[in-house]
Amino acid sequence: MVRMNFLGLRTTAGRFRFFAVLEALSWLGLLTGMAFKYLPEEGNEIGVKIFGPVHGGVFVLFLLVALLTAREYEWNWKTTVLALLSSIPPFFTVLFEVWAVRTGKIDQQGVSGTESPKTLAASS
């Protein structure tokens, strides 16, 4: 039986998926913190103080992982720019990752934690 490793960090694609989901979750935390800061009359800033730096750090890590993934999978400049831009609107990193898998920009085997494209090419 093949074990599916949803967020496997052993492959480039798995790391990309991990940081895409993590970036989306940090967006969720930041947006929730902003809601508690601005929506009640007497807002509480603790959510923004916590999730602001967390989101900033995850944002930078996602950009680095996206560039490494682009190099590993030999993406053209349009795909690379699209991956980088996906980190700006909330939750678009996950949408980009799903699109990348569906269009073959990232292989499904790499995402499930089995092999990377260079490993697959070398074994053929």
Side-chain angles (χ1 to χ4, degrees), residues 13 15 23 30 33 36 49 52 58 62 70 72 80 96 99 112 120 122:
R15 283 186 293 275
E23 205 271 344
L30 183 57
F36 280 106
K49 287 182 179 181
V58 172
F62 174 79
E72 176 79 18
T80 303
F96 176 83
W99 173 82
S112 64
L120 291 172

Side-chain angles (χ1 to χ4, degrees), residues 64-105:
L64 292 172
V65 169
L67 290 172
L68 292 172
T69 304
R71 188 176 73 185
E72 176 79 18
Y73 283 91
E74 299 174 355
W75 289 346
N76 61 26
W77 69 271
K78 289 179 184 179
T79 304
T80 303
V81 168
L82 190 60
L84 297 174
L85 289 176
S86 74
S87 63
I88 297 171
F91 315 116
F92 272 51
T93 54
V94 174
L95 295 175
F96 176 83
E97 191 276 333
V98 169
W99 173 82
V101 170
R102 287 186 180 168
T103 59
K105 303 294 183 185

